[in-house]
Structure formats: structure tokens, C-alpha cells
């Protein structure tokens, strides 16, 4: 189709009038085709965008913007900016959410000031959203976590999408020029009436720290003066971390204490994460010691998460191991599950320095959550782990017993990995006792008809 053909088709199908009886579509269906063609031939259709008028159905402008954002081949930044300018001039409200989206492939390009100011204007003044949809989420939606729900709402509304892209533009601001355009408006953006939009503004404020740090910190103070649940979003958590690392915990401690006292579990969990981070990376352990044995499982869950994440890269490894050893046997299953993530955190690491910690994990109630990942970590360990493998295998058999023959159980699916590890332990060890224990465990597994063990033995016999 030529440009003229496309314009004729858009004029003919100028409303959403899909006829499901005759299978003839309307503007929406044709717009989907336009989006695909734009993604495949972005330069051509960016120029076609300049021929749109306000009389065309907005679906076509939206599809052109989305297609340019998904371009399969490079297109000149100036051509994309021309398309954005023209579509903005049509003043079609439904296109505002996607106006800046095509810039995502041009963040390091020469983007004119008027385009950045256009994005800034939409971040400040786009009418969408009028309400926060996330606050009406059903219980099924809540399984995603309130922070993820808030942020998901934010990036799907016009002001949120614009401020998110503005943040991306500032991340790629090498000389501070782009930041200077946004800096006078940071406080206003931080005070957006929508909590969802504020979750996106946190990204912008974080991007402003490099070239406009004092104003960005002022904006942070404004940003967090709203519903506590904003503090559970990953963007605000990340921003709080940036400021803590750059300026010390003095600026962020009131916010962290507010997290820990929140009425919302997800927010207190983030507070637990920060209390552990301060202890392990900043040698400030007051909050951690106060809450690690406290009554709140949400806080303990956050503590366990960061203790596992930072085990191999913090200033106080003994403290991290002590916390995890305690939480392996926590009364709350979700806390044990979070602590069990240490099995993944140690992947590829030498395990001998963590022998006592892993022995505690194997002996704890958290082994059920950790076992699949722990077996992989043991298998990929670069050092000798024959004693850990033997201890894990003995506990595994004692824990699961007859269930190992039932393929429907999760434990049965791990037995083949366990059998392979036992072969490795037998081959690694010069200790006669450990080798005998390995053979005894093979006998037990065979007697239990554990899934995959006979196949592993047959394979070993063929190889030897």
C-alpha cells in the first residue's frame, strides 16, 4: 500500500466499527496492521505520520507511536522527533500516553530541547490519570505485591509514562543540559496527586541526582509525603538506596523508620531490607538487632532477603551468616523461604568458607524450600564439597523417605540430581568413611525405588 492507499483506508475505517458477523474490522483492526508495518519500516511510516490530521481516528496515531517504539531497524532521531511533534499537535488525548515512547531507542541521540520540554509538559499536565486505579485492586491483584501494582498503574497512564521517559532521558544526560530543563519542575513533579505517577517520578529524581543533587533530595522529601504504600515500589526503594549511599543514612533514616512502622506488610518488608542493608554495608546495626527477633514476619522476611542477597558482598559476612542461621528456623514459612534463597546467592562460589552456614541450612526447616537450588549450587561448586553432599543426601533421604518413589512429588524430581552428586562425592573423597556412606545411600535410594537413581547408576557403570 502506498501512503495514499493508507490515508484512504484510514479515512474509510475511521471509527471502531468492527462487524463480527461479516468479519470486517474497523479502525482498531487496521491500526494493528499499521503498527506492525511501522515497526518493520519505521523511516517510511514516521514520515506518513506527518500526513495525519485531527480528523483521523486516534488509534492510527497511537499505532504509529507504538510501531516506532518497536522499530526493527534504526531510524534517524530527527525523523522520530518530527513524528512526535506532529502527533502532539493533533491534540488527541488518547495519544498522550505514547507520545514519548518512541524515544526509548534514541536516549543517546541528539534530542532537541523542544522534544524534552514536550515530554516534561506531558509529565506535568497530561490529564490522565484522574484517579489511582491501583487503590481499587482486587485481592487477586494483590498477589503481585502492592508496590508492583502501583508502579504498573503508573507506567500505563499518560503522566506516569511521560515522567518515566523523562527519567530515562536524564539517565543518559552526559553534560547536565537535559537535567537543567527538568530541575525547576522537580518539586512539582514530586507532588503529583497520583501515588502511581509518583512511583515513576522516583525514577526521574534518581536520575537527577548526578547533575542536580540538592534539588533532587528536596524532591525526595516531597515525593514520600503521601500514602505509605508508595514506599513499597522498587523505584522508591532504589532512590532511597541511592541517597543513603551518597549522603548517608541521616537523610533517609526517618523514611526507613516510617517503613518499619507502616500498617502495610509490603512496606514493612522493605523496611526490613533497609535495616539489614544498613547493618551489613554501613555498620549501622541498631534496626537489624531490634527487629531480627521481633514479632513481625514481614520485617523478618525483608531481613532474610537482604542477608541472603548480600552474603558474599558486604562488610560483615559473620553477621549475615548469623542472621540467616537464625531465620532458617523461623516460625513463619515465608521468612524461611526468603532465607533459603542463600542457596542461589552462593551459586558458583567456593562453599568451604560457608560450610557451617550450609550445614545449618541442611539441618533446618528451610531445607524444603532450598533443596532444589542447593543441589544445583553443590553441583556447580568450584571446590570440594563431598562432606556437604553427604550431609545433604542423608538429610534428604530422612526427610522424604518413601515419597522419593512418587514422581508426582517435588522431592522425587530432585533425586536424580542428588544421585549425580553422590557419584561426584564418591569420586572426590579419599575418605573411606565418606565413600562407604555414599554407597550406603545409593543402596537406600535403590531400596526406596527413588526416581532416576537406577538410570544414574547404569550411566556411571557404562562410563566406567
Amino acid at each position: 500500500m502506498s501512503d495514499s492507499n493508507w490515508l484512504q483506508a484510514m479515512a474509510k475505517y475511521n471509527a471502531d466499527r468492527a462487524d463480527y458477523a461479516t468479519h470486517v474490522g474497523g479502525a482498531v483492526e487496521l491500526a494493528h496492521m499499521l503498527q506492525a508495518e511501522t515497526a518493520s519500516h519505521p523511516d517510511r511510516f514516521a514520515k506518513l505520520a506527518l500526513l495525519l490530521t485531527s480528523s483521523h481516528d486516534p488509534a492510527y496515531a497511537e499505532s504509529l507511536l507504538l510501531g516506532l517504539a518497536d522499530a526493527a531497524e534504526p531510524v534517524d532521531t530527527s525523523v522520530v522527533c518530527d513524528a512526535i511533534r506532529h502527533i502532539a499537535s493533533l491534540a488527541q488525548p488518547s495519544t498522550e500516553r505514547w507520545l514519548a515512547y518512541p524515544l526509548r531507542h534514541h536516549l543517546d541521540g541528539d534530542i532537541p530541547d523542544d522534544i524534552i520540554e514536550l515530554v516534561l509538559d506531558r509529565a506535568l499536565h497530561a490529564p490522565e490519570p484522574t484517579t489511582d486505579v491501583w487503590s481499587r485492586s482486587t485481592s487477586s491483584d494483590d498477589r503481585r505485591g502492592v508496590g508492583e501494582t502501583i508502579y504498573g498503574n503508573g507506567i500505563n497512564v499518560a503522566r506516569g509514562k511521560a515522567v518515566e521517559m523523562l527519567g530515562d532521558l536524564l539517565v543518559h544526560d552526559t553534560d547536565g543540559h537535559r537535567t537543567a530543563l527538568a530541575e525547576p519542575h522537580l518539586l512539582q513533579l514530586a507532588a503529583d496527586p497520583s501515588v502511581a505517577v509518583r512511583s515513576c517520578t522516583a525514577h526521574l529524581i534518581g536520575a537527577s541526582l548526578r547533575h542536580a543533587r540538592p534539588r533532587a533530595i528536596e524532591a525526595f522529601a516531597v515525593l514520600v509525603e503521601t500514602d505509605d504504600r508508595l514506599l513499597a515500589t522498587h523505584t522508591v526503594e532504589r532512590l532511597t538506596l541511592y541517597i543513603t549511599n551518597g549522603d548517608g543514612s541521616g537523610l533517609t533514616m526517618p523514611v526507613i523508620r516510617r517503613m518499619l512502622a507502616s500498617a502495610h506488610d509490603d512496606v514493612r518488608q522493605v523496611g526490613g531490607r533497609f535495616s539489614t542493608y544498613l547493618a551489613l554495608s554501613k555498620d549501622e546495626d541498631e534496626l537489624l538487632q531490634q527487629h531480627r527477633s521481633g514479632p513481625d514476619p514481614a520485617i523478618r522476611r525483608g531481613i532474610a532477603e537482604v542477608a541472603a542477597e548480600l552474603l558474599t558482598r558486604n562488610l560483615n559476612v559473620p553477621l549475615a551468616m548469623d542472621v540467616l542461621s537464625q531465620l532458617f528456623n523461623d516460625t513463619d514459612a515465608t521468612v524461611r523461604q526468603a532465607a533459603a534463597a542463600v542457596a542461589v546467592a552462593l551459586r558458583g562460589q567456593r562453599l568451604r568458607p560457608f560450610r557451617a552456614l550450609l550445614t545449618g541450612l541442611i539441618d533446618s526447616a528451610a531445607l524444603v524450600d532450598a533443596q532444589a537450588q542447593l543441589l544445583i549450587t553443590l553441583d556447580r561448586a568450584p571446590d570440594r564439597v563431598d562432606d556437604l553432599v553427604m550431609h545433604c543426601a542423608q538429610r534428604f533421604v530422612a526427610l522424604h523417605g518413601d515419597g522419593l518413589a512418587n514422581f508426582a512429588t517435588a522431592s522425587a524430581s530432585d533425586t536424580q540430581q542428588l544421585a549425580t552428586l553422590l557419584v561426584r562425592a564418591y569420586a572426590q573423597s579419599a575418605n573411606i568413611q565418606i565413600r562407604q556412606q555414599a554407597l550406603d545411600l545409593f543402596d537406600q535410594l535403590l531400596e526406596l525405588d527413588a526416581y532416576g537413581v537406577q538410570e544414574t547408576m547404569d550411566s556411571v557403570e557404562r562410563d566406567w
Side-chain angles (χ1 to χ4, degrees):
M1 291 172 63
S2 66
D3 287 357
S4 177
N5 295 148
W6 272 107
L7 291 170
Q8 288 172 353
M10 286 188 278
K12 179 176 180 179
Y13 299 100
N14 206 31
D16 184 13
R17 300 193 195 116
D19 187 332
Y20 296 104
T22 61
H23 302 290
V24 175
V28 172
E29 288 71 27
L30 183 60
H32 286 318
M33 295 176 62
L34 179 60
Q35 180 179 336
E37 288 296 311
T38 303
S40 299
H41 309 286
D43 188 73
R44 177 201 163 181
F45 284 91
K47 294 169 183 173
L48 176 63
L50 303 180
L51 303 178
L52 291 179
T53 68
S54 58
S55 64
H56 287 110
D57 191 285
Y60 297 118
E62 290 180 54
S63 291
L64 285 160
L65 292 167
L66 289 168
L68 290 172
D70 293 331
E73 59 186 51
V75 57
D76 189 84
T77 300
S78 63
V79 173
V80 173
C81 289
D82 286 343
I84 291 172
R85 284 191 194 93
H86 181 73
I87 291 174
S89 73
L90 302 179
Q92 295 175 317
S94 63
T95 64
E96 291 190 331
R97 183 190 305 182
W98 307 112
L99 269 177
Y101 198 39
L103 295 175
R104 66 184 187 140
H105 296 306
H106 302 271
L107 299 174
D108 290 317
D110 185 15
I111 299 177
D113 287 0
D114 72 297
I115 293 294
I116 295 174
E117 289 167 347
L118 174 62
V119 178
L120 175 61
D121 180 74
R122 294 303 79 207
L124 287 165
H125 304 302
E128 184 192 35
T130 55
T131 59
D132 266 340
V133 175
W134 67 267
S135 61
R136 302 196 300 271
S137 296
T138 63
S139 57
S140 62
D141 290 331
D142 292 340
R143 287 179 295 181
R144 292 190 302 160
V146 68
E148 185 180 348
T149 302
I150 291 171
Y151 178 72
N153 183 186
I155 61 174
N156 282 289
V157 294
R159 290 201 308 279
K161 197 74 175 177
V163 79
E164 174 96 342
M165 183 56 66
L166 191 59
D168 289 345
L169 288 165
L170 266 58
V171 167
H172 292 257
D173 182 13
T174 57
D175 60 5
H177 178 74
R178 294 175 181 177
T179 304
L181 297 175
E183 181 180 358
H185 307 279
L186 283 180
L187 299 184
Q188 183 180 349
L189 290 164
D192 195 284
S194 164
V195 173
V197 173
R198 288 193 191 206
S199 73
C200 299
T201 305
H203 171 57
L204 170 65
I205 294 171
S208 302
L209 286 167
R210 179 166 48 152
H211 295 299
R213 193 172 199 90
R215 183 61 61 88
I217 290 172
E218 284 185 66
F220 169 72
V222 173
L223 181 83
V224 297
E225 288 304 314
T226 187
D227 192 303
D228 272 0
R229 286 169 286 188
L230 174 68
L231 305 179
T233 60
H234 75 274
T235 47
V236 173
E237 181 178 358
R238 187 173 59 199
L239 174 58
T240 306
L241 184 62
Y242 290 162
I243 295 174
T244 300
N245 283 338
D247 300 272
S249 60
L251 289 173
T252 56
M253 187 61 79
V255 177
I256 295 169
R257 291 187 183 279
R258 182 175 148 203
M259 292 174 179
L260 291 164
S262 174
H264 305 287
D265 287 359
D266 288 358
V267 180
R268 297 197 307 279
Q269 184 172 337
V270 176
R273 290 175 59 83
F274 271 107
S275 69
T276 313
Y277 178 79
L278 290 173
L280 297 180
S281 298
K282 300 291 184 183
D283 201 25
E284 300 176 25
D285 67 350
E286 174 198 350
L287 294 178
L288 173 62
Q289 300 299 354
Q290 178 183 344
H291 292 285
R292 60 183 284 186
S293 300
D296 191 331
I299 294 176
R300 299 199 307 275
R301 185 162 59 249
I303 289 171
E305 287 173 346
V306 172
E309 288 172 16
L310 296 186
L311 177 61
T312 62
R313 46 194 176 93
N314 71 82
L315 301 176
N316 198 336
V317 173
L319 177 58
M321 292 198 293
D322 183 54
V323 169
L324 288 168
S325 296
Q326 172 189 334
L327 298 180
F328 288 154
N329 289 295
D330 197 273
T331 55
D332 186 89
T334 64
V335 176
R336 296 195 301 270
Q337 186 177 21
V342 73
V344 177
L346 288 173
R347 185 78 40 82
Q349 301 285 330
R350 292 180 64 252
L351 299 184
R352 302 303 296 176
F354 303 99
R355 183 180 180 280
L357 177 70
L358 290 173
T359 299
L361 173 59
I362 292 166
D363 289 333
S364 75
L367 179 62
V368 174
D369 297 303
Q371 68 184 27
Q373 297 299 329
L374 179 59
L375 292 173
I376 298 172
T377 296
L378 289 169
D379 183 54
R380 298 183 186 177
D383 53 347
R384 281 186 54 186
V385 292
D386 47 294
D387 55 338
L388 283 170
V389 169
M390 293 305 307
H391 190 56
C392 184
Q394 290 166 341
R395 176 92 165 95
F396 186 90
V397 172
L399 192 62
H400 299 294
D402 295 337
L404 297 178
N406 183 359
F407 180 64
T409 64
S411 57
S413 65
D414 294 327
T415 54
Q416 197 160 21
Q417 177 84 52
L418 179 66
T420 302
L421 280 170
L422 281 172
V423 172
R424 174 183 170 182
Y426 182 89
Q428 272 190 347
S429 182
N431 186 308
I432 294 175
Q433 183 179 2
I434 288 181
R435 290 167 72 93
Q436 185 59 53
Q437 288 174 349
L439 293 174
D440 291 343
L441 278 164
F442 271 120
D443 287 341
Q444 285 182 262
L445 290 168
L446 289 169
E447 287 176 10
L448 292 166
D449 195 24
Y451 175 77
V453 175
Q454 185 63 62
E455 289 82 352
T456 301
M457 294 295 292
D458 292 342
S459 173
V460 170
E461 288 176 1
R462 286 194 300 271
D463 292 341
W464 286 1

